[in-house]
Amino acid sequence: MADFDLFVIGACSGGGRAARVSAAYGARVAIAEEYKVGGTCVIRGCVPKKLLVYGAHFAEDLDDAAMFGWDVPTKKFDWQVLRDNVLAEVGRLEGAYTETLTNHDVTIFKERAELTGPNSARLASGKEVSADRILIATGATPAMPAIDGIEHAISSNETFHLERLPKRIVIAGGGYIANEFAGIFHQFGSHVTLVNRTDVILRQYDQQIVDRLIQISLRKGIDFKFNATIEKIEKRESGSLHVTMKGCDDFETDQILIATGRKPNTAGFGLAEVGVEMGDNCQIKVDADNRTSVASIFAVGDVTDRVQLTPVAIREGQAFADTFFGKTPHQVDYSCIPSAVFSHPPIASVGMTEGQARNKLGQVRTYTSDFRPMKNVLAGRNERSLYKLVVDGSTDQIVGVHMIGPDAPEILQAAAVAVRGKLKKADFDATVALHPTMAEELVLMR
Ligand code: FAD
């Protein structure tokens, strides 16, 4: 008999959910984690990032406070205080996640694991483990380009531990992580330059919404360099960094953050040797039940490079546990996944963009509301929100909702239920507005 029914590599969103739920179904489960229990999301992703976003918001809130009658005499930001408080919260969460697993009788090995066969693995301590099924949930890691001087740049991993706030920062990338950190550092007072190798950022979001973010960011003072790439980084004696660029002038800066994508974490722990098939981006290939090319080995989350988001990894882990240990087989529905960019202001989106709908559907109608939130009006902040509904012209069904503005992600979650439920524009029109809110714009667009 094998040591365990299930051995999970990676104590994270996908792996943690699969381990806990499988154990609750009665399986004998062990999990290996080489860094910290909680995975990317809790330790160096969504959670600490969102806490920094909250911290960053105070910059504008404190400025706006005067018009609401508050006298805030001095405004001074201390990076070390926020950083240490965020890291302490992450430490608390790591403890809570560990406790949840141990409360479910999951055996935790806080060490690296390597596959040695279709049903076996070796831990860093040398201990051999066997299991009927093995689940790979090793996530993804920042992809760092092979350029001269890359050792002077950081990835998002190091950002949460910076000794001091840089006066100037160059952020490379056009995805959500690059744009979120651009907003965060700008609010903290750093001068931010975002460089991207094409002239398109946030590719999967609606163009009109992205254009609004660029417009607002430029007005705030964030610099964008499009069609530009970093060729070389040199450290000067003064400690500053000289960045040799292709496509624009060179920079002197204090920090360089590379956020140009995340690569599935599949190298160096025996996957290929055991015969697990991988795709062009080094991702583990799986079927709809998360099974790899080796019958006893499964994979969920970012390592499979389907949709690199926490709630998706969690759903995949849950589906795996339900299917193989809970006798309630089911597969994840990838059709209507909401997502957000926690920029300043944030973007949120679900369903098809206008461009996607026009390519896919015969007739498309769009409705937009371009408005200045009431709070911004009183504060004298000239920043407008934009909401957009994309409607299938032949059925009246809402196929996409796209928003930029304060609290857009909080509002969009409910709208995502409507899109998934295939509600029509007429249903939105028939819904009474909740006044005064920004969200009421969703049911007032005509
Ligand atoms: P991960 O959470 O990546 O965890 C993999 C784990 O495996 C790690 O803990 C790692 O140490 C461990 N591991 C790897 N190899 C081994 C080995 N050989 N032995 C033992 N352990 C191993 N998603 C959202 O939905 N919303 C957000 O706002 C958001 N913000 C993000 C911000 C940043 C800066 C980053 C980097 C990511 C963000 N994400 C966000 C993405 C989200 O974090 C990932 O989609 C999610 O964590 C994927 O979970 P996972 O289960 O695939 O694995």
Side-chain angles (χ1 to χ4, degrees):
M1 188 162 102
D3 300 335
F4 297 100
D5 299 317
L6 174 65
F7 181 66
V8 181
I9 307 185
C12 49
S13 306
R17 174 60 68 97
R20 171 169 72 72
V21 176
S22 301
Y25 285 133
R28 296 168 306 134
V29 183
I31 196 163
E33 171 52 57
E34 68 174 352
Y35 185 52
K36 289 182 177 177
V37 173
T40 305
C41 175
V42 175
I43 305 297
R44 44 195 182 188
C46 332
V47 172
K49 179 271 307 275
K50 187 72 188 283
L51 292 171
L52 293 186
V53 169
Y54 281 131
H57 262 294
F58 281 95
E60 287 180 353
D61 291 346
L62 291 172
D63 283 345
D64 294 350
M67 281 305 285
F68 290 87
W70 292 93
D71 178 20
V72 184
T74 53
K75 191 179 93 168
K76 188 172 168 291
F77 175 65
D78 189 331
W79 160 254
Q80 275 107 351
V81 170
L82 177 61
R83 179 201 61 194
D84 292 351
N85 288 342
V86 169
L87 293 178
E89 174 60 7
V90 165
R92 188 190 68 78
L93 288 172
E94 187 194 355
Y97 275 71
T98 306
E99 205 176 297
T100 304
L101 288 171
T102 47
N103 284 347
H104 283 81
D105 291 329
V106 174
T107 305
I108 303 176
F109 296 108
K110 288 200 171 172
E111 49 191 315
R112 184 172 171 80
E114 277 183 34
L115 289 179
T116 50
N119 296 95
S120 58
R122 185 181 305 117
L123 295 161
S125 56
K127 185 178 169 59
E128 307 275 348
V129 183
S130 63
D132 290 337
R133 292 190 180 91
I134 294 178
L135 179 70
I136 312 293
T138 49
T141 43
M144 300 297 274
I147 50 176
D148 248 13
I150 190 67
E151 67 277 10
H152 302 305
I154 58 169
S155 73
S156 58
N157 288 349
E158 293 75 45
T159 308
F160 301 109
H161 301 268
L162 285 180
E163 208 37 59
R164 64 188 67 82
L165 193 68
K167 280 205 173 66
R168 302 161 295 181
I169 182 165
V170 170
I171 301 178
Y176 76 96
I177 294 177
N179 280 280
E180 290 176 342
F181 279 116
I184 289 168
F185 281 108
H186 171 77
Q187 299 294 113
F188 290 158
S190 303
H191 180 267
V192 176
T193 306
L194 191 139
V195 303
N196 192 40
R197 75 188 152 88
T198 67
D199 58 1
V200 181
I201 61 165
L202 300 171
R203 188 177 296 279
Q204 70 274 39
Y205 288 90
D206 192 273
Q207 192 58 52
Q208 226 180 326
I209 302 287
V210 175
D211 287 347
R212 177 60 55 92
L213 177 66
I214 296 174
Q215 211 179 68
I216 293 173
S217 303
L218 282 169
R219 206 178 305 131
K220 283 181 199 257
I222 296 177
D223 276 342
F224 288 84
K225 301 288 177 200
F226 292 127
N227 301 311
T229 46
I230 297 178
E231 294 229 295
K232 190 174 169 187
I233 305 166
E234 291 162 287
K235 191 158 192 161
R236 299 288 197 222
E237 260 176 33
S238 62
S240 71
L241 300 169
H242 181 84
V243 194
T244 309
M245 297 295 301
K246 186 175 169 200
C248 70
D249 291 343
D250 294 354
F251 300 111
E252 289 295 312
T253 189
D254 305 302
Q255 194 67 256
I256 300 164
L257 165 60
I258 306 285
T260 48
R262 294 176 57 79
K263 242 188 156 34
N265 191 4
T266 49
F269 62 100
L271 283 170
E273 292 78 352
V274 169
V276 173
E277 238 181 82
M278 280 171 276
D280 293 344
N281 194 31
C282 302
Q283 79 278 22
I284 297 182
K285 286 188 181 175
V286 286
D287 66 15
D289 286 322
N290 302 298
R291 193 188 293 268
T292 71
S293 53
V294 177
S296 56
I297 301 181
F298 299 76
V300 295
D302 285 8
V303 76
T304 63
D305 205 15
R306 288 172 283 187
V307 180
Q308 292 195 349
L309 289 174
T310 290
V312 177
I314 290 174
R315 288 216 164 213
E316 289 169 355
Q318 178 81 41
F320 166 80
D322 291 343
T323 300
F324 295 100
F325 296 101
K327 300 194 179 70
T328 50
H330 65 97
Q331 296 172 348
V332 175
D333 173 6
Y334 294 92
S335 64
C336 197
I337 299 171
S339 68
V341 183
F342 293 96
S343 42
H344 284 76
I347 288 176
S349 165
V350 65
M352 284 187 251
T353 63
E354 181 179 348
Q356 289 165 342
R358 290 204 184 281
N359 285 335
K360 196 165 173 206
L361 307 172
Q363 280 173 276
V364 173
R365 296 198 312 267
T366 62
Y367 299 84
T368 52
S369 175
D370 187 338
F371 62 100
R372 201 168 157 209
M374 191 193 265
K375 183 168 173 254
N376 285 358
V377 176
L378 191 68
R381 183 171 291 284
N382 190 19
E383 200 176 292
R384 298 182 71 83
S385 297
L386 181 64
Y387 291 6
K388 182 172 186 176
L389 299 180
V390 181
V391 179
D392 182 336
S394 56
T395 61
D396 196 42
Q397 189 189 318
I398 308 246
V399 294
V401 180
H402 310 280
M403 310 165 69
I404 179 168
D407 295 331
E410 302 291 344
I411 298 166
L412 185 102
Q413 180 70 81
V417 178
V419 176
R420 187 165 192 284
K422 300 191 177 5
L423 293 195
K424 298 187 177 239
K425 175 67 168 60
D427 295 308
F428 275 48
D429 293 348
T431 304
V432 176
L434 198 166
H435 184 73
T437 62
M438 293 175 285
E440 69 181 311
E441 295 299 323
L442 284 176
V443 298
L444 296 176
M445 286 184 237
R446 299 288 188 268

PDB file of all heavy atoms in Angstrom, residues 338-362:
ATOM      1  N   PRO A 338     -14.632  36.553 -14.305  1.00  0.00           N
ATOM      2  CA  PRO A 338     -14.389  37.993 -14.123  1.00  0.00           C
ATOM      3  C   PRO A 338     -12.928  38.240 -13.738  1.00  0.00           C
ATOM      4  O   PRO A 338     -12.292  37.370 -13.146  1.00  0.00           O
ATOM      5  CB  PRO A 338     -15.317  38.362 -12.961  1.00  0.00           C
ATOM      6  CG  PRO A 338     -15.563  37.096 -12.227  1.00  0.00           C
ATOM      7  CD  PRO A 338     -15.354  35.955 -13.174  1.00  0.00           C
ATOM      8  N   SER A 339     -12.414  39.389 -14.078  1.00  0.00           N
ATOM      9  CA  SER A 339     -11.047  39.713 -13.658  1.00  0.00           C
ATOM     10  C   SER A 339     -10.933  41.218 -13.437  1.00  0.00           C
ATOM     11  O   SER A 339     -11.798  41.991 -13.875  1.00  0.00           O
ATOM     12  CB  SER A 339     -10.031  39.256 -14.703  1.00  0.00           C
ATOM     13  OG  SER A 339     -10.170  40.019 -15.867  1.00  0.00           O
ATOM     14  N   ALA A 340      -9.855  41.596 -12.760  1.00  0.00           N
ATOM     15  CA  ALA A 340      -9.676  43.019 -12.427  1.00  0.00           C
ATOM     16  C   ALA A 340      -8.221  43.411 -12.550  1.00  0.00           C
ATOM     17  O   ALA A 340      -7.325  42.574 -12.482  1.00  0.00           O
ATOM     18  CB  ALA A 340     -10.159  43.280 -11.002  1.00  0.00           C
ATOM     19  N   VAL A 341      -8.014  44.695 -12.746  1.00  0.00           N
ATOM     20  CA  VAL A 341      -6.674  45.282 -12.642  1.00  0.00           C
ATOM     21  C   VAL A 341      -6.795  46.307 -11.520  1.00  0.00           C
ATOM     22  O   VAL A 341      -7.582  47.254 -11.638  1.00  0.00           O
ATOM     23  CB  VAL A 341      -6.273  46.009 -13.950  1.00  0.00           C
ATOM     24  CG1 VAL A 341      -4.846  46.536 -13.844  1.00  0.00           C
ATOM     25  CG2 VAL A 341      -6.421  45.088 -15.155  1.00  0.00           C
ATOM     26  N   PHE A 342      -6.036  46.092 -10.439  1.00  0.00           N
ATOM     27  CA  PHE A 342      -6.149  47.013  -9.299  1.00  0.00           C
ATOM     28  C   PHE A 342      -5.231  48.214  -9.504  1.00  0.00           C
ATOM     29  O   PHE A 342      -4.351  48.502  -8.699  1.00  0.00           O
ATOM     30  CB  PHE A 342      -5.866  46.266  -7.995  1.00  0.00           C
ATOM     31  CG  PHE A 342      -6.938  45.245  -7.691  1.00  0.00           C
ATOM     32  CD1 PHE A 342      -6.767  43.918  -8.055  1.00  0.00           C
ATOM     33  CD2 PHE A 342      -8.121  45.622  -7.099  1.00  0.00           C
ATOM     34  CE1 PHE A 342      -7.760  42.977  -7.811  1.00  0.00           C
ATOM     35  CE2 PHE A 342      -9.125  44.694  -6.845  1.00  0.00           C
ATOM     36  CZ  PHE A 342      -8.941  43.363  -7.203  1.00  0.00           C
ATOM     37  N   SER A 343      -5.472  48.872 -10.642  1.00  0.00           N
ATOM     38  CA  SER A 343      -4.731  50.090 -10.970  1.00  0.00           C
ATOM     39  C   SER A 343      -5.417  51.253 -10.251  1.00  0.00           C
ATOM     40  O   SER A 343      -6.361  51.057  -9.489  1.00  0.00           O
ATOM     41  CB  SER A 343      -4.755  50.285 -12.488  1.00  0.00           C
ATOM     42  OG  SER A 343      -6.048  50.008 -13.011  1.00  0.00           O
ATOM     43  N   HIS A 344      -4.968  52.465 -10.529  1.00  0.00           N
ATOM     44  CA  HIS A 344      -5.570  53.663  -9.905  1.00  0.00           C
ATOM     45  C   HIS A 344      -6.136  54.555 -10.986  1.00  0.00           C
ATOM     46  O   HIS A 344      -5.371  55.298 -11.581  1.00  0.00           O
ATOM     47  CB  HIS A 344      -4.515  54.417  -9.095  1.00  0.00           C
ATOM     48  CG  HIS A 344      -4.210  53.754  -7.807  1.00  0.00           C
ATOM     49  ND1 HIS A 344      -3.429  52.628  -7.709  1.00  0.00           N
ATOM     50  CD2 HIS A 344      -4.606  54.055  -6.547  1.00  0.00           C
ATOM     51  CE1 HIS A 344      -3.346  52.271  -6.443  1.00  0.00           C
ATOM     52  NE2 HIS A 344      -4.047  53.116  -5.721  1.00  0.00           N
ATOM     53  N   PRO A 345      -7.408  54.522 -11.323  1.00  0.00           N
ATOM     54  CA  PRO A 345      -8.469  53.731 -10.719  1.00  0.00           C
ATOM     55  C   PRO A 345      -8.475  52.303 -11.278  1.00  0.00           C
ATOM     56  O   PRO A 345      -7.870  52.051 -12.326  1.00  0.00           O
ATOM     57  CB  PRO A 345      -9.731  54.490 -11.163  1.00  0.00           C
ATOM     58  CG  PRO A 345      -9.356  55.116 -12.465  1.00  0.00           C
ATOM     59  CD  PRO A 345      -7.910  55.452 -12.366  1.00  0.00           C
ATOM     60  N   PRO A 346      -9.192  51.397 -10.605  1.00  0.00           N
ATOM     61  CA  PRO A 346      -9.170  50.007 -11.054  1.00  0.00           C
ATOM     62  C   PRO A 346     -10.070  49.734 -12.255  1.00  0.00           C
ATOM     63  O   PRO A 346     -11.027  50.474 -12.516  1.00  0.00           O
ATOM     64  CB  PRO A 346      -9.675  49.248  -9.826  1.00  0.00           C
ATOM     65  CG  PRO A 346     -10.506  50.216  -9.086  1.00  0.00           C
ATOM     66  CD  PRO A 346      -9.936  51.578  -9.349  1.00  0.00           C
ATOM     67  N   ILE A 347      -9.735  48.646 -12.944  1.00  0.00           N
ATOM     68  CA  ILE A 347     -10.525  48.154 -14.076  1.00  0.00           C
ATOM     69  C   ILE A 347     -11.138  46.822 -13.655  1.00  0.00           C
ATOM     70  O   ILE A 347     -10.508  46.056 -12.929  1.00  0.00           O
ATOM     71  CB  ILE A 347      -9.592  47.929 -15.294  1.00  0.00           C
ATOM     72  CG1 ILE A 347      -9.140  49.263 -15.883  1.00  0.00           C
ATOM     73  CG2 ILE A 347     -10.241  47.050 -16.347  1.00  0.00           C
ATOM     74  CD1 ILE A 347      -8.131  49.121 -17.027  1.00  0.00           C
ATOM     75  N   ALA A 348     -12.352  46.537 -14.131  1.00  0.00           N
ATOM     76  CA  ALA A 348     -12.923  45.206 -13.901  1.00  0.00           C
ATOM     77  C   ALA A 348     -13.706  44.816 -15.140  1.00  0.00           C
ATOM     78  O   ALA A 348     -14.260  45.677 -15.829  1.00  0.00           O
ATOM     79  CB  ALA A 348     -13.838  45.222 -12.681  1.00  0.00           C
ATOM     80  N   SER A 349     -13.732  43.520 -15.401  1.00  0.00           N
ATOM     81  CA  SER A 349     -14.293  43.086 -16.674  1.00  0.00           C
ATOM     82  C   SER A 349     -14.797  41.659 -16.595  1.00  0.00           C
ATOM     83  O   SER A 349     -14.234  40.821 -15.890  1.00  0.00           O
ATOM     84  CB  SER A 349     -13.160  43.201 -17.711  1.00  0.00           C
ATOM     85  OG  SER A 349     -13.471  42.507 -18.865  1.00  0.00           O
ATOM     86  N   VAL A 350     -15.859  41.392 -17.329  1.00  0.00           N
ATOM     87  CA  VAL A 350     -16.321  40.002 -17.477  1.00  0.00           C
ATOM     88  C   VAL A 350     -16.921  39.855 -18.870  1.00  0.00           C
ATOM     89  O   VAL A 350     -17.535  40.785 -19.397  1.00  0.00           O
ATOM     90  CB  VAL A 350     -17.350  39.611 -16.386  1.00  0.00           C
ATOM     91  CG1 VAL A 350     -18.644  40.394 -16.489  1.00  0.00           C
ATOM     92  CG2 VAL A 350     -17.645  38.107 -16.423  1.00  0.00           C
ATOM     93  N   GLY A 351     -16.714  38.699 -19.456  1.00  0.00           N
ATOM     94  CA  GLY A 351     -17.302  38.411 -20.772  1.00  0.00           C
ATOM     95  C   GLY A 351     -16.507  39.011 -21.915  1.00  0.00           C
ATOM     96  O   GLY A 351     -15.341  39.388 -21.766  1.00  0.00           O
ATOM     97  N   MET A 352     -17.198  39.132 -23.080  1.00  0.00           N
ATOM     98  CA  MET A 352     -16.504  39.571 -24.291  1.00  0.00           C
ATOM     99  C   MET A 352     -16.290  41.078 -24.302  1.00  0.00           C
ATOM    100  O   MET A 352     -17.174  41.848 -23.905  1.00  0.00           O
ATOM    101  CB  MET A 352     -17.338  39.213 -25.515  1.00  0.00           C
ATOM    102  CG  MET A 352     -17.286  37.747 -25.875  1.00  0.00           C
ATOM    103  SD  MET A 352     -18.142  37.486 -27.456  1.00  0.00           S
ATOM    104  CE  MET A 352     -19.576  36.627 -26.870  1.00  0.00           C
ATOM    105  N   THR A 353     -15.134  41.503 -24.822  1.00  0.00           N
ATOM    106  CA  THR A 353     -14.912  42.923 -25.090  1.00  0.00           C
ATOM    107  C   THR A 353     -15.731  43.265 -26.345  1.00  0.00           C
ATOM    108  O   THR A 353     -16.213  42.363 -27.052  1.00  0.00           O
ATOM    109  CB  THR A 353     -13.429  43.211 -25.375  1.00  0.00           C
ATOM    110  OG1 THR A 353     -13.054  42.494 -26.568  1.00  0.00           O
ATOM    111  CG2 THR A 353     -12.549  42.785 -24.223  1.00  0.00           C
ATOM    112  N   GLU A 354     -15.822  44.565 -26.632  1.00  0.00           N
ATOM    113  CA  GLU A 354     -16.568  44.945 -27.839  1.00  0.00           C
ATOM    114  C   GLU A 354     -15.906  44.320 -29.073  1.00  0.00           C
ATOM    115  O   GLU A 354     -16.588  43.774 -29.942  1.00  0.00           O
ATOM    116  CB  GLU A 354     -16.600  46.475 -27.969  1.00  0.00           C
ATOM    117  CG  GLU A 354     -17.393  46.895 -29.197  1.00  0.00           C
ATOM    118  CD  GLU A 354     -17.476  48.415 -29.374  1.00  0.00           C
ATOM    119  OE1 GLU A 354     -17.121  49.154 -28.436  1.00  0.00           O
ATOM    120  OE2 GLU A 354     -17.890  48.847 -30.465  1.00  0.00           O
ATOM    121  N   GLY A 355     -14.581  44.353 -29.121  1.00  0.00           N
ATOM    122  CA  GLY A 355     -13.848  43.801 -30.271  1.00  0.00           C
ATOM    123  C   GLY A 355     -14.128  42.312 -30.443  1.00  0.00           C
ATOM    124  O   GLY A 355     -14.421  41.836 -31.546  1.00  0.00           O
ATOM    125  N   GLN A 356     -14.054  41.571 -29.328  1.00  0.00           N
ATOM    126  CA  GLN A 356     -14.307  40.115 -29.397  1.00  0.00           C
ATOM    127  C   GLN A 356     -15.736  39.848 -29.850  1.00  0.00           C
ATOM    128  O   GLN A 356     -15.984  38.962 -30.671  1.00  0.00           O
ATOM    129  CB  GLN A 356     -14.068  39.473 -28.024  1.00  0.00           C
ATOM    130  CG  GLN A 356     -12.617  39.419 -27.623  1.00  0.00           C
ATOM    131  CD  GLN A 356     -12.433  39.134 -26.133  1.00  0.00           C
ATOM    132  OE1 GLN A 356     -13.355  39.287 -25.317  1.00  0.00           O
ATOM    133  NE2 GLN A 356     -11.226  38.738 -25.762  1.00  0.00           N
ATOM    134  N   ALA A 357     -16.687  40.625 -29.314  1.00  0.00           N
ATOM    135  CA  ALA A 357     -18.095  40.407 -29.669  1.00  0.00           C
ATOM    136  C   ALA A 357     -18.308  40.697 -31.154  1.00  0.00           C
ATOM    137  O   ALA A 357     -19.018  39.956 -31.841  1.00  0.00           O
ATOM    138  CB  ALA A 357     -18.985  41.295 -28.805  1.00  0.00           C
ATOM    139  N   ARG A 358     -17.687  41.765 -31.655  1.00  0.00           N
ATOM    140  CA  ARG A 358     -17.880  42.102 -33.077  1.00  0.00           C
ATOM    141  C   ARG A 358     -17.301  41.016 -33.972  1.00  0.00           C
ATOM    142  O   ARG A 358     -17.833  40.726 -35.044  1.00  0.00           O
ATOM    143  CB  ARG A 358     -17.255  43.462 -33.405  1.00  0.00           C
ATOM    144  CG  ARG A 358     -18.021  44.601 -32.767  1.00  0.00           C
ATOM    145  CD  ARG A 358     -17.871  45.943 -33.454  1.00  0.00           C
ATOM    146  NE  ARG A 358     -18.580  46.963 -32.686  1.00  0.00           N
ATOM    147  CZ  ARG A 358     -19.896  47.160 -32.721  1.00  0.00           C
ATOM    148  NH1 ARG A 358     -20.653  46.435 -33.518  1.00  0.00           N
ATOM    149  NH2 ARG A 358     -20.467  48.082 -31.960  1.00  0.00           N
ATOM    150  N   ASN A 359     -16.203  40.383 -33.543  1.00  0.00           N
ATOM    151  CA  ASN A 359     -15.627  39.291 -34.352  1.00  0.00           C
ATOM    152  C   ASN A 359     -16.478  38.031 -34.297  1.00  0.00           C
ATOM    153  O   ASN A 359     -16.508  37.260 -35.244  1.00  0.00           O
ATOM    154  CB  ASN A 359     -14.218  38.933 -33.845  1.00  0.00           C
ATOM    155  CG  ASN A 359     -13.222  39.981 -34.268  1.00  0.00           C
ATOM    156  OD1 ASN A 359     -13.440  40.682 -35.265  1.00  0.00           O
ATOM    157  ND2 ASN A 359     -12.139  40.113 -33.526  1.00  0.00           N
ATOM    158  N   LYS A 360     -17.157  37.828 -33.158  1.00  0.00           N
ATOM    159  CA  LYS A 360     -17.828  36.545 -32.937  1.00  0.00           C
ATOM    160  C   LYS A 360     -19.321  36.575 -33.266  1.00  0.00           C
ATOM    161  O   LYS A 360     -19.870  35.580 -33.752  1.00  0.00           O
ATOM    162  CB  LYS A 360     -17.634  36.145 -31.465  1.00  0.00           C
ATOM    163  CG  LYS A 360     -17.947  34.702 -31.231  1.00  0.00           C
ATOM    164  CD  LYS A 360     -17.441  34.193 -29.926  1.00  0.00           C
ATOM    165  CE  LYS A 360     -17.978  32.768 -29.747  1.00  0.00           C
ATOM    166  NZ  LYS A 360     -18.092  32.392 -28.382  1.00  0.00           N
ATOM    167  N   LEU A 361     -19.965  37.706 -32.965  1.00  0.00           N
ATOM    168  CA  LEU A 361     -21.422  37.757 -33.105  1.00  0.00           C
ATOM    169  C   LEU A 361     -21.796  38.578 -34.341  1.00  0.00           C
ATOM    170  O   LEU A 361     -21.029  39.429 -34.778  1.00  0.00           O
ATOM    171  CB  LEU A 361     -22.045  38.406 -31.869  1.00  0.00           C
ATOM    172  CG  LEU A 361     -21.639  37.805 -30.508  1.00  0.00           C
ATOM    173  CD1 LEU A 361     -22.179  38.665 -29.383  1.00  0.00           C
ATOM    174  CD2 LEU A 361     -22.140  36.379 -30.382  1.00  0.00           C
ATOM    175  N   GLY A 362     -22.980  38.336 -34.853  1.00  0.00           N
ATOM    176  CA  GLY A 362     -23.425  39.090 -36.017  1.00  0.00           C
ATOM    177  C   GLY A 362     -23.651  40.551 -35.689  1.00  0.00           C
ATOM    178  O   GLY A 362     -22.978  41.453 -36.178  1.00  0.00           O
TER     179      GLY A 362
END
